[in-house]
Amino acid sequence: FFKPKTAYEIRLSLVGSEMCIRDSILNEAFLERFAICLEQEYPPVTTEKKIVKGDFAILGVNDDDFADKLVDWADVIRKSFYEGAVDEVISTRRLVHIAKAFSMFNNKLKSIEVCLARFDEDTKASFLDLYTKVDAGVNPLGDELESEETVTEENDKDDFTI
C-alpha cells in the first residue's frame, strides 16, 4: 500500500536546486489562485536603508556602512533589471536575510553568498562581483580587507625602540 507524502514531507526531502524548482512550481500554482495582482514598487533607497539598519539593530549588528552598501548594491541590480541587463533582482526581504546571515557569520561575502544560493551560478557570480565593486572593503577571494586605518594603527604599535 502506497501512502502519499504531504507537501511538507516532500519539501523536507528536496535539497539545493530541486527545492528551488519545487518552490517555483508551487509559487506559480499559488499565484494562479488570485484574480488580480497589484505590483508594489521597492521602497526608496532612504527608506530601505532605514529598514535594513533597523534589522541590524534588532540583530545586534552595528555596521551602518554595510547596510548602506547592501541597499546601494540592490538598487544598482534593480536598475539593471529595469533596463533588461539582468533577469533577477535583490528584494528588500533578501537584504533582511543577508542581515540575519551577517549576524551569524560576521562575514559580508559569506552572508551574501548564502543568501544568493537560490540563483543560478552566473547570476550569483555577477551579483557577488558587483558587490565587491560597491564595497571596496571586501576581497572577492573570501576575506574582508582591513581598512587602511587599522593597518596603520597596527604598524604604529609595532614600532618600538630597543
Side-chain angles (χ1 to χ4, degrees):
F1 175 71
F2 174 75
K3 178 187 172 212
K5 293 186 179 214
T6 66
Y8 180 74
E9 291 171 322
I10 292 170
R11 289 189 74 190
L12 286 179
S13 68
L14 299 175
V15 293
S17 62
E18 293 174 340
M19 188 178 295
C20 294
I21 292 167
R22 171 63 65 179
D23 287 346
S24 176
I25 293 167
L26 291 175
N27 288 340
E28 288 297 321
F30 179 74
L31 290 174
E32 285 299 316
R33 297 175 190 268
F34 296 98
I36 63 169
C37 271
L38 302 174
E39 292 200 18
Q40 173 69 42
E41 294 294 321
Y42 290 101
V45 168
T46 54
T47 303
E48 195 165 43
K49 285 181 180 183
K50 288 179 188 176
I51 293 168
V52 175
K53 288 177 184 180
D55 277 1
F56 270 28
I58 291 167
L59 296 164
V61 174
N62 186 17
D63 196 336
D64 285 352
D65 184 56
F66 183 40
D68 289 340
K69 288 180 176 157
L70 281 174
V71 173
D72 293 341
W73 169 68
D75 190 51
V76 170
I77 290 171
R78 290 177 196 146
K79 287 177 181 173
S80 299
F81 175 79
Y82 295 138
E83 293 173 1
V86 295
D87 296 328
E88 302 284 352
V89 293
I90 299 296
S91 66
T92 305
R93 181 172 296 176
R94 184 138 326 264
L95 294 178
V96 169
H97 293 319
I98 292 169
K100 288 178 183 173
F102 184 66
S103 74
M104 291 184 283
F105 298 116
N106 197 31
N107 180 304
K108 294 175 184 178
L109 286 180
K110 173 77 171 174
S111 304
I112 294 169
E113 268 181 47
V114 298
C115 292
L116 293 180
R118 69 173 283 283
F119 298 114
D120 64 75
E121 292 302 318
D122 290 338
T123 302
K124 283 190 281 191
S126 64
F127 283 4
L128 274 171
D129 182 56
L130 178 60
Y131 185 79
T132 64
K133 290 172 178 40
V134 170
D135 187 348
V138 296
N139 177 353
L141 300 177
D143 297 330
E144 294 174 22
L145 300 174
E146 296 182 72
S147 68
E148 289 181 29
E149 293 173 9
T150 306
V151 173
T152 304
E153 288 173 13
E154 288 176 4
N155 288 343
D156 289 345
K157 289 178 187 174
D158 292 341
D159 292 339
F160 59 92
T161 56
I162 300 180

